[in-house]
């Protein structure tokens, strides 16, 4: 796109700036629309599981329900507690929302269809997504209230616990793919197993357990049920969001669901072929890669909603035990197994 602007006589600097801004808007605006629609979709999933109708009044089939909720929140008054740290109180939801958006810069929707195709895309995602916890911690501390502060402490412990195992899972993926570039990781899954028929590391018996660990850990990273101890309404009212109202409250929700969509995309990209079709058969490549990616993201989003509607919340000791005593040793074991297998595969058995 930079070259296209230059063809009209615009200098390189302005061409690059315009191309970058347009690229950001092309990703950010549909993402915000997607957040509104997946909230509606998730409520429909919950309703179907509970044998209810779900949203069905505002707009055809209730499709405009999320927009009505957004308008209602927008028109409400922003209330700041008198004892709160006002600056940090207002900055916290902005941090959560911004971090949820910047990670999408390196997500590939097809070959070449990515805002920034950097060589260390996976490291960028790991680093940027880790910043999200600061929004929760700041919100809990700045509220100067007991329940939000408990929520902030829980969030910090939970993020650290599950990011360790996620890190080892990503090492397994990088060992197999040989690159940190997300497009390269997707292309490395082409015909990876099944006599060249299947696209996806998840079909590999050595990587399938890591795909399951990553899926469960991604639910914990986004504070989703059964790992929603951060905003457990039966214990902490609404956790770090307790003292928030109006658009500051809405920014937390937008950030949370943008992160959920991101985790669905990462599950698809890292283990299930991303924008590649599931089978390495010629005619399937006629379908645009972005549609395959969206289909896989939709499947993972259904799993997220299904789990939230059916699985009860963990106790906090169960949450910590799963992260430290099960996922961490398991991911370490598979790092060893996979690195050993790849060494034998490339260099043969030592004599």
């Amino acid at each position: 796109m930079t070259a296209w602007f230059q063809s009209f006589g615009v200098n390189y600097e302005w061409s690059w700036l315009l191309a970058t801004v347009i690229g950001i808007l092309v990703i950010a605006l549909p993402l915000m629309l997607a957040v509104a629609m997946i909230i509606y979709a998730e409520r429909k999933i919950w309703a179907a599981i509970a044998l209810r109708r779900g949203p069905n009044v505002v707009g055809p089939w209730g499709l405009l329900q999320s927009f009505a909720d957004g308008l209602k929140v927008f028109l409400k008054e922003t209330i700041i507690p008198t004892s709160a740290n006002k600056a940090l109180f207002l900055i916290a939801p902005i941090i959560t929302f911004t971090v949820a958006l910047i990670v999408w810069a390196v997500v590939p929707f097809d070959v070449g269809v990515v805002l920034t195709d950097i060589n260390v895309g996976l490291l960028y995602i790991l680093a940027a997504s880790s910043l999200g916890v600061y929004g929760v911690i700041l919100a809990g501390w700045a509220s100067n209230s007991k329940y939000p502060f408990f929520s902030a402490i829980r969030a910090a412990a939970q993020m650290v616990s599950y990011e360790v195992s996620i890190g080892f899972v990503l090492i397994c993926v990088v060992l197999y793919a040989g690159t940190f570039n997300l497009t390269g990781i997707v292309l490395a899954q082409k015909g990876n197993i099944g006599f060249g028929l299947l696209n996806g590391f998840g079909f590999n018996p050595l990587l399938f357990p890591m795909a399951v660990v990553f899926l469960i850990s991604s639910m914990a990273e986004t504070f989703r049920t059964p790992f929603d101890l951060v905003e457990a309404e039966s214990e902490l009212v609404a956790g770090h969001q307790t003292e928030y109202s109006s658009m500051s409250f809405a920014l937390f929700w937008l950030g949370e669901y943008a992160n959920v969509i991101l985790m669905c995309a990462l599950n698809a990209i890292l283990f299930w072929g991303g924008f590649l079709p599931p089978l390495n058969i010629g005619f399937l490549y006629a379908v645009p890669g972005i549609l395959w990616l969206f289909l896989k993201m939709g499947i993972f989003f259904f799993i997220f909603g299904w789990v939230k509607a059916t699985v009860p919340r963990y106790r906090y000791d169960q949450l910590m035990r799963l992260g430290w005593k099960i996922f961490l040793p398991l991911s370490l074991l598979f790092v060893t197994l996979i690195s050993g297998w790849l060494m034998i595969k490339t260099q043969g058995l030592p004599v």
Side-chain angles (χ1 to χ4, degrees):
M1 189 178 286
T2 302
W4 185 77
F5 280 116
Q6 285 182 293
S7 67
F8 291 97
V10 183
N11 64 36
Y12 175 79
E13 288 77 13
W14 280 104
S15 298
W16 177 86
L17 179 63
L18 288 170
T20 304
V21 170
I22 290 172
I24 291 170
L25 292 176
V26 164
I27 293 174
L29 295 180
L31 181 62
M32 292 301 96
L33 178 63
V35 166
M37 296 317 297
I38 68 163
I39 292 174
Y40 164 81
E42 189 169 50
R43 291 174 69 178
K44 280 291 191 182
I45 292 169
W46 298 342
I49 290 171
L51 299 179
R52 294 184 290 106
R53 289 183 180 273
N56 66 341
V57 174
V58 185
W61 305 290
L63 285 169
L64 300 180
Q65 182 65 57
S66 293
F67 299 100
D69 292 340
L71 179 63
K72 178 185 72 174
V73 171
F74 179 75
L75 294 175
K76 286 182 177 291
E77 179 186 0
T78 300
I79 299 171
I80 302 175
T82 54
S83 59
N85 184 316
K86 292 183 180 179
L88 294 180
F89 185 84
L90 294 174
I91 287 172
I94 296 171
I95 291 174
T96 300
F97 178 68
T98 305
V99 168
L101 288 184
I102 63 173
V103 181
W104 285 90
V106 296
V107 174
F109 298 95
D110 206 337
V111 177
V113 185
V114 55
L115 184 62
T116 310
D117 195 22
I118 58 176
N119 290 332
V120 289
L122 196 55
L123 287 179
Y124 171 83
I125 284 181
L126 194 61
S129 60
S130 300
L131 297 174
V133 72
Y134 290 109
V136 178
I137 292 172
L138 284 176
W141 185 84
S143 296
N144 199 15
S145 180
K146 200 180 301 179
Y147 288 145
F149 186 63
F150 286 157
S151 171
I153 295 171
R154 284 184 173 189
Q158 186 168 326
M159 289 283 280
V160 170
S161 301
Y162 284 86
E163 277 183 1
V164 174
S165 55
I166 281 180
F168 286 118
V169 170
L170 297 183
I171 288 173
C172 296
V173 173
V174 170
L175 284 170
Y176 246 96
T179 178
F180 283 97
N181 179 272
L182 289 176
T183 303
I185 289 172
V186 172
L187 295 177
Q189 299 176 58
K190 187 175 181 179
N192 179 256
I193 202 165
F195 304 103
L197 184 63
L198 300 173
N199 295 331
F201 288 147
F203 296 112
N204 189 320
L206 274 176
L207 283 169
F208 177 74
M210 294 297 94
V212 175
V213 169
F214 186 81
L215 174 62
I216 298 172
S217 297
S218 62
M219 292 180 187
E221 281 286 290
T222 49
F223 308 126
R224 298 279 295 186
T225 307
F227 308 104
D228 58 339
L229 277 300
V230 171
E231 49 192 79
E233 72 279 354
S234 59
E235 306 164 27
L236 304 180
V237 185
H240 57 282
Q241 307 168 26
T242 301
E243 304 292 345
Y244 282 88
S245 61
S246 187
M247 284 307 294
S248 54
F249 176 79
L251 285 178
F252 277 119
W253 271 82
L254 289 171
E256 178 184 334
Y257 275 92
N259 278 325
V260 168
I261 300 174
L262 173 70
M263 285 301 177
C264 293
L266 287 181
N267 274 282
I269 288 168
L270 295 177
F271 291 100
W272 302 103
F275 48 76
L276 298 175
L279 299 176
N280 191 21
I281 301 175
F283 71 89
L284 292 177
Y285 289 92
V287 178
I290 192 169
L291 295 182
W292 286 118
L293 179 61
F294 286 166
L295 175 62
K296 294 171 186 177
M297 288 168 61
I299 292 170
F300 280 108
F301 182 74
F302 175 78
I303 293 171
F304 271 66
W306 184 13
V307 168
K308 184 162 186 172
T310 55
V311 180
R313 183 183 297 127
Y314 272 28
R315 294 196 316 268
Y316 204 75
D317 61 305
Q318 293 173 323
L319 176 81
M320 290 291 112
R321 185 171 68 245
L322 180 65
W324 289 108
K325 292 188 176 181
I326 298 175
F327 282 179
L328 179 57
L330 187 65
S331 56
L332 268 172
L333 172 65
F334 272 86
V335 167
T336 307
L337 290 175
I338 289 169
S339 55
W341 165 248
L342 291 174
M343 184 173 290
I344 292 170
K345 190 178 176 182
T346 55
Q347 300 181 12
L349 286 168
V351 179

